[in-house]
């Protein structure tokens, strides 16, 4: 494949959306290597098409790529200011090859703290690469990933993405990342200092009595009447789960009570219409009002059994031409 054969790349892209055709393509290792090589082609349309082919290939399983060879190349692209047209697709590829805890463990061993800082820096610029947030959410199930993500140089910027306007992928995956971090009590030191930011998306503009208002954190006092809650249900669920997992630690429950989070969470409970989401926030409220005669819910630093299954709901991303596919689960072929 080269710049003269952009039409062939378009054909290959169409074939990679079909599992049976994909086997034919991936069996030709020289062809796959050529696709990777054309990522650096001067013809941006061809390089973008090649990136989308790789998104589709990796969406069918990790057996179609070797992280030891591909991850360094992806990181090189993401660090290249002249390759911004490939950032989003490369984020999708990284997401696809780190979906399971086993895959995430392989990836995180290849990522430095500086790499995570780079991901966060790019996300903060508002560039169209929201799937980097999904990658960070994936590695949060690993000990090494949690160590990187809870580092002050990463976490302080990262948590601000909970309110990033116009990017549901970033907000949802930031909330998912926080949920994954919260399973490990060693991360609660970082999380507890940012409770107002974690709760903020769940807060509306309801009136709060003056004596109740004074007990709230400053950042949650006197919010405007038109303050809107996070519109995405899954993001709200992830945040409720985060608050519940954190509430298994006594110091966090004490913070909930001292800062009167009960009032805000009760208002959210009354507002929420989804019954499953209501049950989750009611579990948090129960932790606040119950007596502390019981021990904490988890041993320090121990991930509860089943966290892998809980995280397995994350989507595979791929490129399709069908009109009904939404941008949240795929991207439109730029040539269609």
């Amino acid at each position: 494949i080269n710049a003269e054969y952009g039409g062939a790349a378009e054909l290959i892209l169409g074939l990679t959306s079909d599992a049976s055709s994909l086997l034919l393509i991936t069996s030709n290792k020289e062809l796959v290597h050529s696709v990777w090589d054309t990522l650096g082609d001067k013809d941006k349309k061809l390089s973008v098409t090649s990136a989308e082919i790789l998104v589709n290939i990796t969406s069918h399983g990790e057996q179609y790529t070797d992280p030891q060879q591909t991850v360094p190349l992806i990181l090189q692209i993401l660090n290249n200011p002249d390759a911004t047209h490939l950032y989003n697709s490369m984020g999708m590829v990284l997401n696809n090859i780190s979906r399971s805890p086993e895959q995430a463990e392989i990836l995180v061993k290849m990522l430095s703290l500086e790499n995570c800082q780079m991901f966060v820096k790019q996300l903060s610029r508002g560039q169209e690469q929201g799937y980097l947030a999904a990658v960070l959410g994936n590695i949060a199930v690993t000990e090494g990933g949690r160590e990187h993500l809870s580092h002050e140089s990463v976490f302080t910027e990262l948590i601000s993405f909970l309110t990033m306007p116009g990017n549901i992928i970033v907000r949802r995956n930031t909330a998912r990342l926080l949920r994954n971090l919260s399973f490990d009590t060693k991360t609660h030191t970082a999380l507890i200092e940012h409770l107002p930011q974690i709760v903020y998306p769940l807060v509306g503009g309801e009136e709060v009595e003056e004596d109740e208002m004074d007990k709230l954190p400053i950042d949650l006092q006197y919010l405007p009447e038109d303050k809107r809650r996070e519109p995405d249900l899954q993001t709200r669920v992830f945040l409720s789960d985060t608050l519940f997992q954190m509430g298994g630690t006594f110091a966090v429950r004490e913070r909930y009570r001292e800062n009167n989070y009960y009032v805000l969470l009760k208002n959210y409970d009354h507002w929420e219409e989804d019954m499953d989401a209501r049950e989750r926030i009611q579990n948090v409220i129960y932790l606040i009002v119950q007596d502390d005669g019981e021990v904490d819910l988890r041993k320090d630093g121990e991930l509860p059994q089943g966290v892998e299954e809980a995280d397995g709901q994350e989507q595979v991303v791929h490129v399709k031409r069908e009109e009904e596919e939404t941008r949240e689960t795929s991207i439109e072929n730029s040539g269609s």
Side-chain angles (χ1 to χ4, degrees):
I1 301 175
N2 56 44
E4 297 179 20
Y5 300 106
E10 292 284 342
L11 176 61
I12 294 172
L13 175 59
L15 291 173
T16 55
S17 62
D18 177 73
S20 58
S21 300
L22 179 71
L23 289 174
L24 178 63
I25 293 170
T26 54
S27 64
N28 188 331
K29 294 185 178 180
E30 184 178 348
L31 175 60
V32 175
H33 284 311
S34 296
V35 174
W36 281 100
D37 288 343
T38 54
L39 289 177
D41 199 277
K42 294 180 180 179
D43 183 342
K44 288 189 176 181
K45 182 178 180 180
L46 175 59
S47 63
V48 168
T49 301
S50 296
E52 292 175 344
I53 291 171
L54 295 171
V55 172
N56 281 358
I57 289 176
T58 56
S59 73
H60 288 274
E62 69 275 13
Q63 68 271 26
Y64 296 118
T65 186
D66 179 1
Q68 299 297 327
Q69 294 183 359
T70 58
V71 170
L73 176 58
I74 293 172
L75 294 177
Q76 183 180 351
I77 291 172
L78 291 173
N79 270 304
N80 183 357
D82 295 325
T84 55
H85 56 291
L86 298 176
Y87 284 177
N88 199 42
S89 293
M90 291 300 97
M92 288 182 176
V93 171
L94 281 181
N95 173 65
N96 285 346
I97 65 175
S98 61
R99 295 189 303 271
S100 71
E102 294 77 18
Q103 292 172 295
E105 193 68 58
I106 293 172
L107 176 61
V108 80
K109 289 178 180 178
M110 305 179 69
L111 295 179
S112 64
L113 174 62
E114 288 73 23
N115 293 143
C116 292
Q117 291 170 336
M118 180 263 290
F119 289 174
V120 170
K121 184 177 181 180
Q122 291 189 1
L123 285 166
S124 69
R125 293 171 178 167
Q127 296 171 333
E128 190 180 351
Q129 46 194 316
Y131 283 99
L132 288 179
V135 175
L136 296 178
N138 292 347
I139 67 171
V141 303
T142 71
E143 184 174 357
R146 293 191 295 274
E147 183 177 343
H148 286 336
L149 297 174
S150 59
H151 193 278
E152 184 178 0
S153 65
V154 173
F155 190 80
T156 302
E157 186 78 37
L158 188 63
I159 199 168
S160 69
F161 299 155
L162 279 176
T163 54
M164 180 176 285
N167 200 325
I168 189 174
I169 294 174
V170 171
R171 297 199 309 274
R172 181 185 296 169
N173 280 288
T174 301
R176 168 177 164 255
L177 180 155
L178 293 174
R179 189 278 309 269
N180 287 345
L181 287 178
S182 70
F183 283 119
D184 186 346
T185 56
K186 293 196 295 292
T187 67
H188 290 185
T189 300
L191 291 173
I192 195 172
E193 297 306 321
H194 295 273
L195 265 176
Q197 289 170 281
I198 297 173
V199 174
Y200 182 85
L202 302 178
V203 179
E206 293 90 351
E207 183 177 353
V208 177
E209 296 294 332
E210 194 70 27
D211 58 333
E212 300 281 7
M213 183 76 74
D214 290 341
K215 301 174 186 176
L216 294 174
I218 296 296
D219 292 341
L220 298 176
Q221 292 183 10
Y222 301 103
L223 298 179
E225 293 181 3
D226 59 353
K227 162 67 171 69
R228 295 184 60 195
R229 290 182 170 88
E230 167 58 52
D232 179 57
L233 173 61
Q234 190 60 63
T235 299
R236 299 197 303 271
V237 167
F238 282 147
L239 292 175
S240 295
D241 287 349
T242 300
L243 294 172
F244 177 71
Q245 292 297 329
M246 291 179 63
T249 300
F250 175 75
V252 177
R253 295 196 298 275
E254 283 292 277
R255 184 71 64 90
Y256 288 164
R257 293 162 184 153
E258 291 171 0
N259 290 161
N260 205 23
Y261 282 102
Y262 170 85
V263 171
L264 300 179
L265 300 183
K266 196 66 179 174
N267 284 339
Y268 165 54
D269 176 37
H270 289 156
W271 174 89
E272 181 62 71
E273 296 179 352
D274 183 86
M275 294 309 297
D276 178 62
R278 288 197 66 187
E279 181 177 350
R280 291 169 188 258
I281 200 62
Q282 287 169 5
N283 288 337
V284 182
I285 293 171
Y286 174 74
L287 287 178
I288 296 174
V289 301
Q290 75 169 346
D291 294 331
D292 281 322
E294 300 179 3
V295 296
D296 287 354
L297 302 183
R298 296 168 312 281
K299 297 178 182 178
D300 286 351
E302 181 177 306
L303 285 175
Q305 187 175 8
V307 62
E308 293 86 359
E309 289 77 12
D311 201 61
Q313 64 187 292
E314 283 311 302
Q315 64 209 1
V316 179
V317 289
H318 51 279
V319 181
K320 282 194 175 182
R321 295 173 180 272
E322 284 81 2
E323 302 253 338
E324 65 270 20
E325 290 293 321
T326 66
R327 192 165 179 82
E328 291 178 23
T329 56
S330 66
I331 57 176
E332 295 290 341
N333 186 333
S334 60
S336 60

